[in-house]
């Protein structure tokens, strides 16, 4: 059994990673790229469906900044963060979140999962790898059916795509 000190340390690390996720989302919504940069390790990697991958903190932030240049107001809402520690200074995570995005003349609503790897760098937990996977997304006018069709990823100007997390058939 772990000591009380070790168990408290794990709880503190969980809280720090959950705070990191919230700070990232707030920085995204506020276009605060200096704060966002501090969320990533120096050698971070970022992947997202429909985007080029980015490697290195500066390139990751530049990619996100470029993607956000065409957006209006946004709201990123984390629903949960599932954390699995893989070492004293490393962890894997899955963040389930809802997004509201002003894109062009429409507001889009959707759900994503970030498949993350976290590393303690310079005494702080940071995102080392973030892969954004889409559950569903559509303009508000189409959300009514965005979970009942196989092609439920509807970015503006792109053909509809299937979810990165399609529902498994039952029965």
């Amino acid at each position: 059994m772990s000591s009380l000190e070790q168990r408290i340390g794990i709880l503190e690390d969980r809280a720090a990673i959950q705070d990191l996720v919230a700070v990232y989302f707030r920085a995204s919504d506020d276009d605060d790229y200096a704060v966002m940069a501090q969320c990533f390790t120096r050698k971070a990697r970022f992947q997202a469906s429909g985007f080029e991958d980015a490697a290195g903190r500066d390139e990751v932030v530049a990619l996100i900044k470029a993607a956000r240049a065409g957006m209006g107001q946004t709201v990123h809402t984390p629903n949960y963060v599932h954390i699995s520690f893989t070492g004293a200074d490393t962890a894997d995570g899955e963040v389930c979140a809802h997004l509201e995005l002003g894109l062009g003349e429409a507001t889009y609503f959707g759900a994503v999962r970030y498949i993350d790897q976290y590393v303690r760098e310079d005494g702080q937990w940071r995102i080392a790898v973030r892969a954004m996977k889409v559950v569903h997304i559509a303009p508000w006018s189409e959300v009514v059916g965005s979970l009942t069709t196989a092609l439920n990823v509807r970015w503006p100007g792109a053909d509809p795509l299937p979810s990165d997390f399609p529902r498994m058939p039952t029965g």
Side-chain angles (χ1 to χ4, degrees):
M1 180 178 276
S2 301
S3 72
L4 181 58
E5 185 175 288
Q6 289 169 319
R7 291 170 39 206
I8 289 171
I10 290 170
L11 292 173
E12 290 173 338
D13 288 340
R14 281 187 188 285
I17 291 171
Q18 290 172 342
D19 285 350
L20 169 66
V21 168
V23 166
Y24 168 84
F25 284 144
R26 188 181 66 236
S28 293
D29 290 336
D30 294 346
D31 296 318
D32 189 339
Y33 301 108
V35 169
M36 183 184 293
Q38 292 307 305
C39 293
F40 290 98
T41 63
R42 287 181 287 281
K43 296 181 180 181
R45 289 180 299 144
F46 187 92
Q47 306 161 340
S49 300
F51 293 92
E52 292 291 322
D53 293 354
R57 177 188 290 154
D58 293 341
E59 188 176 320
V60 168
V61 173
L63 172 80
I64 295 168
K65 186 175 184 178
R68 291 191 53 75
M71 292 184 192
Q73 190 169 10
T74 63
V75 177
H76 292 72
T77 306
N79 298 315
Y80 66 79
V81 181
H82 183 262
I83 302 163
S84 299
F85 290 96
T86 56
D89 296 320
T90 58
D92 292 336
E94 184 173 336
V95 179
C96 180
H98 279 90
L99 307 177
E100 298 171 63
L101 308 172
L103 295 170
E105 298 297 317
T107 298
Y108 281 66
F109 178 79
V112 296
R113 291 185 191 169
Y114 294 90
I115 310 303
D116 290 346
Q117 292 177 3
Y118 309 105
V119 172
R120 193 184 329 253
E121 181 180 78
D122 302 327
Q124 299 289 318
W125 283 102
R126 299 184 199 283
I127 301 165
V129 177
R130 171 155 275 187
M132 186 183 90
K133 304 291 184 180
V134 182
V135 177
H136 78 100
I137 191 153
W140 273 110
S141 61
E142 297 177 30
V143 167
V144 68
S146 67
L147 292 174
T148 59
T149 178
L151 300 176
N152 59 356
V153 176
R154 297 171 181 243
W155 293 108
D159 291 334
L161 298 169
S163 172
D164 289 320
F165 296 97
R167 183 160 188 230
M168 301 302 288
T170 57

